[in-house]
Amino acid sequence: YQRRVREFHDPVLMGDQTGSTVSCNDCGVAFSFTTRKHSCKVCSRAFCSDCSNEKTSVKGKGERSCFNCFAKSATFTENENALAQSVSQQLQEDVVFRGYVRLKKSKSKERSKRLVVVGKYWLVFINLSSLRGKQVSVNHLYDLMEVSVNSADKASFKLKGQKGGPNQTKLREIQTPLLSDLISAVVSSYRSINVGFPKERQATFGFPHDGSWPQTDDIGSKGQMHEEEIFEQVYRAQCSYLGVPFSTELILYAADLISEGIYEFDLSLCPGLELNGELTFDLRPVFFTLSHHTFFRSIKICDISKREPIDSLLKALSFNSTISKLLLTNLKGADMLVNIGDTFTKNSNNQIQVMEFSGTDMSGKTFTNFCNALQGLRHGLIGLYLRKCGLGPSDISKLAKAFTAKPEVSVTLEELDLSNNRLEDEGSTALQTWLTKVRSESKLRRLILNSCSFLVAQVLSPLNSFNCLEEIGIADNRIDVNATQIIRSLLETSKSIRIMDFTDIKGMSVPIAETITSAIAFNKVANLLRVDFSNWNIPFFVFKNFVSCLDKSKLEAINLTGNKMLPSDLMLLLEAFIGTGLLNLKVIILDDCLKKANASVSLSVAQLLIQLVNVTPSLKALSICQGFKKAIPTFLEGISSNQTLEELRLKSNNIGDKGASSVAQFLRRNATLKYLDLDGNQFTVSGWRTIRSAMKKNKSLIQMAFPQSEAKASNDQRTYQMIVDVCSQVQTNKQNMNAEGYLPHLVEIDQVAILQPNYIPNMTPLAHVSESSLSGSSSYDQSISSSADYSSQSTSYDDGRPQFSAPPTSSLPTLSTMPRAAGRLPNTSTSRPPSMAPGPPPPALTPSRLPPSSPRGTSTGSQQALTVRSPPSSFPPPGPPQAATMRTAPPPPPGGPPRSAPPPPPGPPPPSGLPPPGPPPPPGLPPPPPELPPPPADSGERSQLLSSITAFSKVKLKKCETNDRSAPLVSTVKPPASSHSSEDHPVMARRDTHTVGQALKNALINRRQNIESTYE
């Protein structure tokens, strides 16, 4: 017998071979008359029939053996092989391990064998001895909670229950001599699908420390795996867990993003997101994959109509700690984001700092939960975009109160967009309260409130103290005289504003338009780069006069879309552009600005456009859409050799195939144009064929807007193919010039910016904001709060007109006291508000148009005097100034009153229509300085300068008020229909009206009182 055993397998002999064993070596049950004793023919161990009923082949003969010997040496039958293959195909994964185990069913005894199959994601137990047929127990590795090794061949698996819910667990105690191989297979599969998971989300492994078991400390780490492999493994595992097919297109899309280093996971660009398509895939496993994924830091989803995948995303964000940018736009359906508040509340480690929910209904309970969750954030926000979210005044009030309650979250906010929501009185008041509180510490750069129905004057009044503010959008809102004065004051005091959007302003009138444009034109301190005057529907001379005064402006883009003009008016405007000699202007948009014109007039317009492009080397982009049909052929012929223009938009001009021929000739000759838009011009297949042949010669055009309307309107497949061929040639040029990152100015202006497309914010901890820096001075708060009720600050004039005034100038920070900050530089101001910042009084400012030869004022007394513009010598003297030094302006232009004219007696009473003189100077002021000497003779420079200024307005000034940098304040009287003359120019009228001297005196006295109260 010993020889037979050594021939088969050289086992370690166990048990008693002399027949003295009285109990089973496996389960310990005592042998009796009913419990028969069996002896293993391989290892001679004694066992009972309950522990093993197997036979092992010994020299070709089946001999009774114990389970350990059977499991080590048994070969699988055809039925068992087919069963394992069937499980593998059904689960769609390869088999990593399979073998026999004994599963403990009860405390008293162990039942028959089980066939265990380990795949990449599954752990399957198959009962081969069931009387009711083969029973299969399928367990996903994500359900694995604990693995404990009790001995060399015994272990227990603790798994989550499925039928009884997530809180129910089940225990599998197994015995197998192949335990080491089984554990190694389970650990290897488990490690590959849990990369990035935190320890608290992983199963626990309890192994003896004898070196014979696999290491589990590195579970969750990347190891040698690449990011593409990690995403694919986890995504496939999540698909198998949810029982849905995986998407190969999604895997390839994610791999491309990772390989190119793009951190924004934009699902709107992934194939298969459309409903009921052949490539449509389930979004739930994608979001669960991102729960603990550490590569992507931004998620963008749009146009989803089912709530289930969005709930999966919010649940995944409850665990993620790397995503910092969340863009969920145009989600269709009610309460799509109702659980977003719970997401932020559960995950205290989230890093989401940029959020966009534009086009998604967030009203009601959804927004209430969201605002409550904002107060629990442990980091500051950077961008919040809530365009067209169905928010009402109460919702906006909740958001502003949440920001006010925890200013540490909102002082870091750089961009806020609340467009197309209703603010009204309640929302405006709450928003103003928050802006007032954070004004000295805020880093806000963009504030967009288009179509919000809000109180413009009330909300914009605190913005003078925002040192980083670069863009303000108030399009499609109603403004009045109060709001106009606030805007004028804001443009005069802010050095950081770059973009102002005045599109579709309601209540627009000539006086309001002139006040805004004059503040922009005459203020040389501001750094305004782009203005949008679309759809103002006011007379053209306002824009003409505005353009005429931009000789030294920093403006880079002007948008006049929708301001229809007669051909003669447009020609005068173009002449103003040409004559001004703009040095910084890059973009001009004149879409839908030309009314119907005949051929001869269109030819003149084309000639002026050609001259504008050729004499303005800084001009890079021009848009002339809708209405320039007859002018385009001549215009294209005239600029074919131009070397400065890079972008041209000719949409919706209906130029037809003849126009297409002109475009083709232009493309053959021009070598600098980079962007072209030809949509809506009614080209047929012949026109596109002409352009396609010209594109074979052109190598500079690298981007062309796809003609959507042309492609939809054409029913001819040949036309569509020609369009595709043209776009393909443009793409070839782009690849040859390595210009993949090129973004045209015209496209940049039209699109709605969300920070930068590739901008991924880093973690911004909560800023420490002192209470003193938030509360500010009481005087400033009172002035801001009082600015909400401008209707009570009206002045009744002699003619019965109510004249509204802006907030007191002393309540606004002056340029000298404002901290210098521009762009995205950090706020370096102290915790005190700018209006209360200590330091010397503001220095005198030099008027932008003052010649160098003009005398400078000097300060007298113990307190520095304020320097203002003085009237010309032809004005009657305004009386002795009160502790102020007057600058003498240059002489009047030729044709004005002679310099030797005797001045009228001082102090004449003001005529009707002008404000009464101000109060006398307060007591205790230093005595007034002596009379200034007469100004020097006219050197000719000033006369030449003033003669070059086009008539700015026909308005007869009823009130004129100036400060250090302000433009003249025009009245609300509409101009007459007469032609413009030099006598009607506001600057000239100011020099021809005696009462302006008295108005300057009143303004000087008021300013003097303000300085005394501020710096006393």
Side-chain angles (χ1 to χ4, degrees):
Y1 178 78
Q2 295 292 340
R3 181 176 59 82
R4 291 176 57 192
V5 170
R6 284 194 295 270
E7 289 178 356
F8 173 74
H9 187 271
D10 189 19
V12 177
L13 299 181
M14 300 178 62
D16 187 3
Q17 300 182 30
T18 61
S20 60
T21 302
V22 296
S23 61
C24 178
N25 292 130
D26 291 334
C27 64
V29 64
F31 297 129
S32 63
F33 181 77
T34 57
T35 304
R36 185 178 176 182
K37 172 183 176 181
H38 299 277
S39 179
C40 179
K41 300 301 186 290
V42 179
C43 64
S44 302
R45 296 183 63 194
F47 58 90
C48 62
S49 59
D50 290 335
C51 292
S52 178
N53 195 23
E54 311 298 338
K55 291 184 178 181
T56 302
S57 177
V58 180
K59 287 192 175 182
K61 183 179 179 181
E63 299 288 352
R64 194 71 177 265
S65 65
C66 63
F67 182 80
N68 288 349
C69 296
F70 168 76
K72 289 180 180 179
S73 59
T75 57
F76 298 101
T77 63
E78 293 183 0
N79 187 21
E80 294 170 347
N81 287 331
L83 183 59
Q85 188 67 23
S86 175
V87 171
S88 175
Q89 292 178 357
Q90 185 175 0
L91 300 178
Q92 297 182 357
E93 59 182 69
D94 299 331
V95 174
V96 179
F97 170 86
R98 62 176 176 172
Y100 294 105
V101 299
R102 282 194 304 179
L103 184 64
K104 185 176 181 181
K105 189 66 175 178
S106 62
K107 296 182 179 179
S108 59
K109 60 180 180 179
E110 298 182 2
R111 296 295 300 275
S112 59
K113 63 182 179 181
R114 298 288 196 275
L115 177 63
V116 60
V117 178
V118 180
K120 289 184 177 181
Y121 319 119
W122 296 95
L123 179 63
V124 184
F125 294 95
I126 304 174
N127 187 359
L128 300 175
S129 59
S130 175
L131 297 177
R132 294 174 295 177
K134 298 177 176 61
Q135 295 181 349
V136 180
S137 175
V138 179
N139 305 273
H140 201 277
L141 291 181
Y142 280 144
D143 292 331
L144 191 61
M145 301 176 62
E146 183 181 354
V147 178
S148 300
V149 175
N150 303 324
S151 63
D153 60 347
K154 293 183 180 180
S156 60
F157 290 79
K158 186 177 181 180
L159 302 164
K160 295 179 183 178
Q162 295 179 350
K163 294 182 179 180
N167 296 327
Q168 184 177 355
T169 61
K170 52 185 177 182
L171 189 65
R172 293 285 187 264
E173 296 184 2
I174 63 172
Q175 179 208 351
T176 176
L178 307 176
L179 184 60
S180 177
D181 297 336
L182 173 62
I183 294 296
S184 298
V186 171
V187 170
S188 177
S189 299
Y190 189 82
R191 179 186 288 109
S192 64
I193 64 175
N194 280 271
V195 178
F197 284 51
K199 292 296 182 182
E200 59 270 14
R201 300 282 297 173
Q202 297 178 7
T204 58
F205 296 89
F207 300 151
H209 301 283
D210 54 3
S212 59
W213 304 98
Q215 294 291 332
T216 59
D217 296 337
D218 60 343
I219 294 180
S221 61
K222 297 180 181 179
Q224 302 296 326
M225 298 179 65
H226 298 287
E227 293 288 349
E228 301 94 324
E229 184 181 359
I230 293 173
F231 183 88
E232 180 179 358
Q233 290 291 342
V234 177
Y235 170 67
R236 287 176 178 266
Q238 294 289 352
C239 289
S240 65
Y241 185 76
L242 296 175
V244 297
F246 62 87
S247 172
T248 305
E249 288 73 19
L250 175 69
I251 296 175
L252 296 177
Y253 174 69
D256 293 340
L257 294 178
I258 295 173
S259 60
E260 296 174 6
I262 300 176
Y263 296 94
E264 183 170 277
F265 195 66
D266 188 356
L267 279 172
S268 61
L269 302 178
C270 179
L273 198 65
E274 63 278 354
L275 295 177
N276 303 324
E278 295 183 358
L279 300 178
T280 302
F281 58 89
D282 197 326
L283 290 173
R284 293 177 299 163
V286 183
F287 299 146
F288 289 143
T289 302
L290 299 175
S291 298
H292 308 289
H293 196 66
T294 58
F295 180 82
F296 293 110
R297 299 179 61 187
S298 173
I299 298 179
K300 183 178 180 180
I301 305 172
C302 61
D303 302 320
I304 299 296
S305 58
K306 294 183 178 180
R307 179 177 169 179
E308 186 178 7
I310 300 301
D311 289 341
S312 302
L313 173 61
L314 298 179
K315 183 177 180 181
L317 293 177
S318 301
F319 305 100
N320 188 280
S321 59
T322 58
I323 292 176
S324 57
K325 190 175 178 182
L326 180 63
L327 310 177
L328 304 177
T329 60
N330 299 326
L331 304 184
K332 301 175 178 62
D335 299 332
M336 293 288 285
L337 297 174
V338 69
N339 296 324
I340 191 170
D342 298 336
T343 299
F344 294 136
T345 303
K346 294 178 182 178
N347 186 7
S348 59
N349 296 322
N350 80 86
Q351 295 190 19
I352 299 178
Q353 299 173 273
V354 178
M355 291 178 282
E356 182 187 9
F357 307 118
S358 300
T360 302
D361 185 10
M362 292 192 66
S363 59
K365 182 180 178 181
T366 300
F367 201 72
T368 301
N369 296 339
F370 175 72
C371 293
N372 294 335
L374 289 180
Q375 302 184 42
L377 293 180
R378 297 185 179 182
H379 58 269
L381 293 178
I382 292 181
L384 181 61
Y385 309 90
L386 300 173
R387 291 188 305 273
K388 201 175 180 180
C389 289
L391 304 179
S394 59
D395 297 323
I396 300 298
S397 178
K398 293 175 184 177
L399 177 65
K401 290 179 180 178
F403 284 162
T404 306
K406 195 168 184 180
E408 296 87 354
V409 175
S410 60
V411 292
T412 59
L413 194 65
E414 297 183 9
E415 300 190 5
L416 177 62
D417 191 346
L418 300 177
S419 301
N420 299 100
N421 297 295
R422 293 183 299 107
L423 272 68
E424 298 180 354
D425 294 354
E426 181 182 358
S428 301
T429 302
L431 194 61
Q432 182 210 18
T433 302
W434 167 64
L435 292 173
T436 304
K437 185 171 185 178
V438 301
R439 63 184 181 271
S440 60
E441 298 289 336
S442 177
K443 298 181 180 179
L444 189 66
R445 295 190 306 108
R446 297 179 68 239
L447 180 61
I448 311 299
L449 300 173
N450 301 330
S451 304
C452 284
S453 301
F454 72 104
L455 304 179
V456 177
Q458 183 174 359
V459 175
L460 298 189
S461 57
L463 298 183
N464 291 276
S465 301
F466 281 69
N467 302 321
C468 301
L469 191 62
E470 296 180 1
E471 180 179 355
I472 301 177
I474 56 173
D476 196 18
N477 287 290
R478 181 174 296 276
I479 65 174
D480 52 12
V481 178
N482 300 328
T484 305
Q485 302 305 322
I486 292 294
I487 294 172
R488 180 177 67 90
S489 175
L490 184 62
L491 291 173
E492 293 171 356
T493 57
S494 176
K495 293 184 63 177
S496 61
I497 294 180
R498 302 289 190 271
I499 303 172
M500 290 291 293
D501 187 0
F502 298 107
T503 305
D504 294 317
I505 292 296
K506 300 177 181 177
M508 179 57 65
S509 62
V510 172
I512 292 178
E514 288 181 334
T515 303
I516 295 175
T517 54
S518 62
I520 297 174
F522 287 108
N523 185 8
K524 306 304 179 183
V525 179
N527 295 315
L528 198 64
L529 300 181
R530 193 173 83 201
V531 291
D532 193 334
F533 299 141
S534 300
N535 301 322
W536 274 21
N537 297 322
I538 57 175
F540 81 99
F541 62 83
V542 176
F543 301 121
K544 174 179 175 294
N545 297 333
F546 168 70
V547 172
S548 300
C549 300
L550 294 179
D551 51 347
K552 296 181 180 180
S553 175
K554 300 178 182 178
L555 276 179
E556 295 183 356
I558 299 177
N559 189 353
L560 301 177
T561 300
N563 294 289
K564 291 184 177 296
M565 309 178 194
L566 294 174
S568 57
D569 296 340
L570 181 59
M571 291 168 60
L572 292 175
L573 178 62
L574 294 176
E575 289 176 355
F577 273 111
I578 297 170
T580 305
L582 302 175
L583 301 178
N584 300 310
L585 194 61
K586 296 181 179 179
V587 181
I588 299 178
I589 301 178
L590 301 174
D591 299 344
D592 197 18
C593 285
L594 179 61
K595 293 183 180 180
K596 293 183 179 180
N598 54 35
S600 60
V601 175
S602 298
L603 180 61
S604 301
V605 172
Q607 294 295 339
L608 289 174
L609 288 173
I610 295 171
Q611 188 177 358
L612 172 63
V613 173
N614 291 331
V615 303
T616 311
S618 63
L619 188 62
K620 302 298 180 183
L622 178 64
S623 179
I624 47 174
C625 304
Q626 194 172 353
F628 294 84
K629 175 180 180 180
K630 299 179 181 179
I632 285 180
T634 304
F635 171 69
L636 292 177
E637 182 180 359
I639 65 169
S640 58
S641 59
N642 182 271
Q643 298 181 359
T644 58
L645 191 66
E646 297 180 354
E647 303 171 20
L648 184 60
R649 186 162 59 188
L650 306 174
K651 289 178 59 177
S652 304
N653 281 299
N654 302 327
I655 58 179
D657 289 344
K658 290 185 178 180
S661 178
S662 301
V663 172
Q665 295 178 16
F666 168 77
L667 292 175
R668 289 177 182 272
R669 300 174 184 175
N670 188 273
T672 58
L673 194 71
K674 296 181 179 180
Y675 173 79
L676 182 63
D677 190 349
L678 298 172
D679 194 14
N681 282 297
Q682 297 182 353
F683 295 160
T684 64
V685 62
S686 299
W688 285 110
R689 184 180 288 112
T690 304
I691 296 176
R692 186 188 66 168
S693 62
M695 281 303 303
K696 296 179 180 179
K697 301 292 183 180
N698 185 284
K699 303 300 179 184
S700 64
L701 192 65
I702 59 177
Q703 187 165 339
M704 179 178 176
F706 187 80
Q708 296 284 353
S709 60
E710 296 278 342
K712 292 180 180 179
S714 175
N715 297 323
D716 189 0
Q717 183 65 26
R718 297 178 302 169
T719 303
Y720 186 82
Q721 186 61 41
M722 290 298 169
I723 296 175
V724 173
D725 293 344
V726 171
C727 295
S728 300
Q729 184 61 42
V730 172
Q731 187 65 24
T732 301
N733 293 347
K734 188 174 186 178
Q735 294 175 356
N736 295 337
M737 297 182 64
N738 296 324
E740 294 297 331
Y742 173 71
L743 180 62
H745 294 88
L746 295 174
V747 177
E748 182 182 5
I749 290 175
D750 290 342
Q751 70 182 6
V752 178
I754 302 296
L755 291 170
Q756 290 84 15
N758 298 326
Y759 174 70
I760 305 296
N762 295 320
M763 183 61 178
T764 303
L766 287 178
H768 176 69
V769 182
S770 60
E771 192 65 26
S772 60
S773 64
L774 292 176
S775 59
S777 62
S778 58
S779 61
Y780 189 91
D781 293 335
Q782 293 174 2
S783 64
I784 292 298
S785 61
S786 63
S787 64
D789 187 14
Y790 294 120
S791 59
S792 62
Q793 301 179 9
S794 60
T795 303
S796 179
Y797 280 47
D798 294 341
D799 57 358
R801 290 186 300 105
Q803 178 68 29
F804 297 95
S805 60
T809 311
S810 59
S811 66
L812 300 176
T814 60
L815 181 63
S816 59
T817 59
M818 286 179 56
R820 266 60 172 173
R824 300 184 61 178
L825 296 178
N827 186 3
T828 57
S829 62
T830 60
S831 60
R832 302 180 65 180
S835 59
M836 297 297 294
L845 296 179
T846 304
S848 58
R849 296 183 181 271
L850 189 64
S853 60
S854 299
R856 307 282 177 168
T858 57
S859 61
T860 61
S862 59
Q863 192 174 11
Q864 183 171 348
L866 175 69
T867 305
V868 298
R869 297 187 183 96
S870 67
S873 60
S874 60
F875 281 8
Q882 302 295 331
T885 302
M886 306 292 292
R887 282 205 186 106
T888 304
R899 295 175 56 85
S900 59
S912 61
L914 286 179
L925 296 179
E931 290 288 344
L932 293 176
D938 186 7
S939 61
E941 180 181 357
R942 178 181 180 280
S943 300
Q944 183 180 1
L945 179 62
L946 289 178
S947 61
S948 65
I949 301 178
T950 311
F952 187 82
S953 167
K954 299 179 298 182
V955 181
K956 296 295 186 180
L957 287 183
K958 297 300 182 182
K959 182 179 179 181
C960 181
E961 183 175 280
T962 60
N963 58 18
D964 304 44
R965 302 167 299 279
S966 65
L969 172 64
V970 295
S971 68
T972 57
V973 179
K974 294 186 177 181
S978 60
S979 60
H980 318 300
S981 62
S982 61
E983 290 79 10
D984 293 331
H985 194 290
V987 179
M988 304 300 296
R990 184 174 55 172
R991 287 161 172 75
D992 294 337
T993 306
H994 156 71
T995 57
V996 176
Q998 187 66 32
L1000 286 174
K1001 175 183 176 181
N1002 298 337
L1004 179 62
I1005 293 175
N1006 294 334
R1007 182 62 174 171
R1008 183 65 185 84
Q1009 294 176 356
N1010 295 335
I1011 291 178
E1012 181 190 17
S1013 62
T1014 303
Y1015 299 105
E1016 189 174 10

